[in-house]
Amino acid sequence: MANHYSSLKRVRQTARWTEMNRRSKARLRHQIRAMRKVVADKDANAAAALLPKTFSIIDRSAKIGIIKKNTAARYKTKLHLRLKTLQGSAK
């Protein structure tokens, strides 16, 4: 157990940041799952509507360090390609 005031403060800060990071990561995963589900259901309109919100959450996660920048780019590329394929097959 921490004995100094500064280490006690660090324990509090770490607990707070851990909880915030956990919520951010869960939000990211749920949004990506929702996007993948819409694409799997072959609903091009819903996927196109969901894409900006998904990209925004991915970008914010990369900005605050939940995921790395290249991981964010990879997620965005894969999702965008799936949407383009879906829109191409819908025509």
Side-chain angles (χ1 to χ4, degrees):
M1 182 61 199
N3 293 321
H4 298 281
Y5 286 117
S6 60
S7 56
L8 291 171
K9 180 180 177 180
R10 270 329 252 171
V11 168
R12 289 192 309 268
Q13 288 176 333
T14 302
R16 192 165 49 239
W17 273 106
T18 301
E19 182 59 31
M20 286 168 36
N21 287 338
R22 186 176 290 134
R23 285 183 184 175
S24 295
K25 194 157 196 161
R27 190 164 123 216
L28 171 69
R29 284 195 315 262
H30 285 114
Q31 186 66 34
I32 290 173
R33 275 189 206 131
M35 182 69 184
R36 287 179 180 158
K37 184 179 183 320
V38 169
V39 170
D41 292 342
K42 298 190 185 322
D43 190 356
N45 292 332
L50 204 58
L51 193 68
K53 183 178 180 187
T54 304
F55 277 14
S56 174
I57 290 175
I58 291 171
D59 286 336
R60 271 187 273 152
S61 296
K63 182 179 176 185
I64 62 175
I66 300 297
I67 57 175
K68 292 184 178 179
K69 197 166 50 169
N70 285 346
T71 304
R74 192 175 63 244
Y75 283 159
K76 288 166 53 174
T77 300
K78 293 275 189 180
L79 291 172
H80 195 251
L81 283 175
R82 287 180 184 173
L83 176 64
K84 285 294 184 187
T85 304
L86 182 64
Q87 288 175 337
S89 65
K91 289 181 181 179

